[in-house]
Amino acid sequence: MSLNIELLKKTCEIAGVPGYEERIRNLVIREVEPLVDSLEVDNMGSVIALKKGSNNPDGKRVMVAAHMDEIGFIVTHIDDNGFLRFHTLGGFDPKTLTAQRVVVHGKKDLVGVMGSKPIHVMTAEERTKNPKITDYFIDLGMKGEEVKEIVRIGDVVTRERAMIEMGNCVNCKSIDNRVSVFILIETLRRLEKVPYDVYGVFTVQEEVGLRGANVAAHSINPDFGIGLDTTIAFDLPGAQPHEKITSLGEGTAIKVMDASAICDYRMVDFMKKMADQHQIKWQLEVLTAGGTDTAGVQRMGKQGAIAGAISVPTRHLHQVIEMADKDDIESSIRLLEACLENMDQYDWMHW
Ligand SMILES: [Zn+2]
């Protein structure tokens, strides 16, 4: 099956920083509503789509979470010359901001650039130092009065980068985590009968601490959980074999753990079996830093959930040129579909 690249491109390019997910949420609602039995938006803004189970006398619930938000910025100050200061929403590596274009979402969208001190006027000492977030300002190329008419304190800012195809890969801002939003939409489209009730949840505010997933899991109270997110692929020059975490093109990644959650070994085992049975290429992921919605899904229901996660190996994570392999994306859709359609085919009560 070939990927719907047009939908993936739209999904990645659209703006939506933590707390301001309205544009991506509207896209998700439009795509998902026709595919499910019911759809609602909770008070925090997460989209909860339900596909009813066909063999479910015990009312088992499976929650699948993909965060909609992307890392971005919020305006903290506008100076008289029209330059903006900002705070980050989510984790950035400051050196990756140099000379990047951004979009400031004021009364209308304005393109800006991340400015900093040119190397020509740096002291010898300054040249040896890594930049800090506070070294940057946003230059809109407009006069102070003009800027103040359109931009206010608290307006949000996103990275500006169109999606392109390179080799067998896609490259864009916000592959983290729009690729998983896309995977969840496409899985809901392909799903045939599911035994248990499947709650496809498109969460808010993950990048600032799994906030939307926590609330949604508390209300859904799932028995089973699957997180969907990107993970590090450090399969690059200079990396030692033990530092790679995952590699592009080596298949979807079955998470064993990250810093926020130790996946249930039964879920890990079930995912491996499903992948093998369906001839889906997979690799294992052990990530010792970084958290995902998996933690919220696992722990915020009343009795906890049997939880695991499917990750998309991604290079250059949290930069403006995040990159994933199209075959790994397809493998992730196929593994999620296989898991959801066969959830009742595993002895979950064995310890
Ligand atoms: Zn993410």
Side-chain angles (χ1 to χ4, degrees), residues 183-221:
I183 286 166
L184 184 48
I185 294 171
E186 291 303 286
T187 304
L188 290 169
R189 199 187 310 283
R190 291 188 203 178
L191 275 184
E192 294 177 6
K193 267 191 180 170
V194 289
Y196 300 155
D197 291 355
V198 171
Y199 291 81
V201 185
F202 300 84
T203 66
V204 295
Q205 300 195 36
E206 189 271 351
E207 295 287 1
V208 290
L210 327 180
R211 296 176 189 177
N214 284 343
V215 168
H218 186 72
S219 105
I220 292 166
N221 194 24

Side-chain angles (χ1 to χ4, degrees), residues 67 69-71 175-178 180 206-207 228-231 291-293 317-318 322:
H67 72 86
D69 57 312
E70 61 177 319
I71 54 174
I175 293 287
D176 176 8
N177 189 30
R178 302 299 174 65
S180 301
E206 189 271 351
E207 295 287 1
L228 300 178
D229 209 330
T230 53
T231 190
T292 59
D293 279 346
L317 209 59
H318 282 209
E322 297 173 335

